[in-house]
Amino acid sequence: RADERFVSRWKVTELVLDNCRSSNGEIEGLSDSFKELEFLSMANVELTSLAKLPTLSKLRKLELSDNVISGGLEVLAERCPNLTYLNLSGNKIKDLGTVEALQNLKNLKSLDLFNCEITNLEDYRDSIFELLQQITYLDGFDQEDNEAPDSEDDDDEGDEDDEDEDEDEAGPPGEYEEEDDEDDGGSDLGEGEEEEEVGLSYLMKEEIQDEDDDDDYVEEGGDEEEEAEGVRGEKRKREPEDEGEEEED
């Protein structure tokens, strides 16, 4: 029941009555006093016809899936002339003559007849697109089998675009980061050069010291050899003398 005690009918734009039970082809409380209604869902409410559907001139989307509607679709053009989306899936629609009444819905862009008997007809899709030339999507796909966009996805993309714009407006941080990177690179290079210079001078000093050490070592070695030769010479001199003394003895 769409009860005015709980809602202000003049301000409601979306109304979901899924799984409610209709009585004599209508839902109690649903009337043309819902002037601002743009979206109405009455899935699985056991509707047999649309004869008692109220006039809803601003209605754009109508969900009527899983009911027992078999005809009388001309009522839609009279009472909901601005429909752009109509879901009749899971109803008792069997032939093209029943759907022909939708030609007067000039703004209709998307029609869903999934799980209706009419979908078993040969060339079903081509026939519907030829009959209802104003529609773009049938059962969620266009004539080239491109899937219909999801309105929620469109909203999400819009939000992402807004975020990207905000980031672009805040652009300077990126520039600052690049400048910082350049500064860091310059300082690193300077430090590297200093370290390289220090390293070379240090190595040169070490090589000089090593050469000096080698010279000292050679000189010291030479002195020792000279001393050794001197001792040997003395021994050689003494040996003949010693021999002479022994002979005299």
Side-chain angles (χ1 to χ4, degrees):
R1 174 185 173 82
D3 197 324
E4 62 183 344
R5 292 177 299 176
F6 301 103
V7 295
S8 177
R9 301 181 185 190
W10 295 272
K11 295 180 180 180
V12 174
T13 58
E14 297 186 6
L15 185 59
V16 178
L17 302 173
D18 297 351
N19 302 315
C20 294
R21 288 294 173 261
S22 61
S23 176
N24 298 322
E26 67 177 345
I27 292 178
E28 185 179 355
L30 181 62
S31 67
D32 55 10
S33 60
F34 288 89
K35 303 287 186 183
E36 302 297 321
L37 202 60
E38 297 179 5
F39 174 84
L40 174 61
S41 182
M42 294 189 294
N44 191 30
V45 297
E46 298 183 355
L47 276 179
T48 56
S49 75
L50 299 173
K52 295 184 179 181
L53 184 70
T55 298
L56 303 168
S57 60
K58 291 190 176 182
L59 194 67
R60 297 175 62 81
K61 294 185 177 183
L62 180 58
E63 291 271 359
L64 296 171
S65 59
D66 300 321
N67 286 291
V68 285
I69 299 169
S70 59
L73 300 183
E74 62 275 357
V75 172
L76 293 172
E78 297 172 5
R79 302 178 187 177
C80 308
N82 292 308
L83 279 182
T84 60
Y85 171 88
L86 176 61
N87 188 347
L88 290 167
S89 62
N91 279 278
K92 303 298 182 181
I93 298 171
K94 301 178 181 181
D95 54 60
L96 293 173
T98 303
V99 177
E100 188 176 1
L102 299 177
Q103 288 179 333
N104 293 323
L105 285 171
K106 303 301 182 182
N107 297 315
L108 189 64
K109 298 300 179 186
S110 180
L111 174 64
D112 196 337
L113 296 171
F114 185 70
N115 276 345
C116 292
E117 290 184 41
I118 192 174
T119 59
N120 296 323
L121 295 177
E122 187 177 356
D123 298 326
Y124 152 71
R125 287 181 60 81
D126 292 338
S127 299
I128 294 294
F129 277 117
E130 184 178 352
L131 183 64
L132 304 176
Q133 297 185 8
Q134 78 274 32
I135 70 171
T136 303
Y137 299 101
L138 176 62
D139 302 334
F141 293 88
D142 65 12
Q143 285 182 279
E144 284 75 34
D145 291 330
N146 296 313
E147 190 172 2
D150 189 341
S151 59
E152 292 182 0
D153 292 342
D154 294 341
D155 293 340
D156 292 341
E157 290 177 1
D159 294 339
E160 290 177 0
D161 292 340
D162 292 340
E163 291 177 1
D164 292 340
E165 288 178 1
D166 293 340
E167 290 179 358
D168 292 340
E169 290 177 359
E175 298 176 0
Y176 296 151
E177 290 177 0
E178 292 179 359
E179 292 177 0
D180 292 341
D181 293 341
E182 292 177 359
D183 294 340
D184 293 341
S187 62
D188 292 342
L189 182 61
E191 291 176 0
E193 291 177 350
E194 291 176 2
E195 289 178 358
E196 185 176 355
E197 291 175 0
V198 171
L200 288 173
S201 61
Y202 179 76
L203 290 173
M204 290 175 67
K205 289 179 181 178
E206 283 192 343
E207 289 178 358
I208 293 170
Q209 290 177 356
D210 290 342
E211 291 177 359
D212 294 341
D213 293 342
D214 292 341
D215 293 340
D216 295 342
Y217 178 77
V218 171
E219 291 175 0
E220 291 176 358
D223 294 340
E224 290 177 356
E225 288 178 359
E226 290 177 359
E227 291 177 358
E229 288 178 358
V231 171
R232 288 174 188 169
E234 290 179 358
K235 286 183 178 180
R236 287 175 184 173
K237 291 178 182 180
R238 288 176 183 176
E239 284 176 358
E241 294 176 357
D242 293 340
E243 289 177 358
E245 292 176 358
E246 288 177 357
E247 289 176 359
E248 288 176 3
D249 291 338

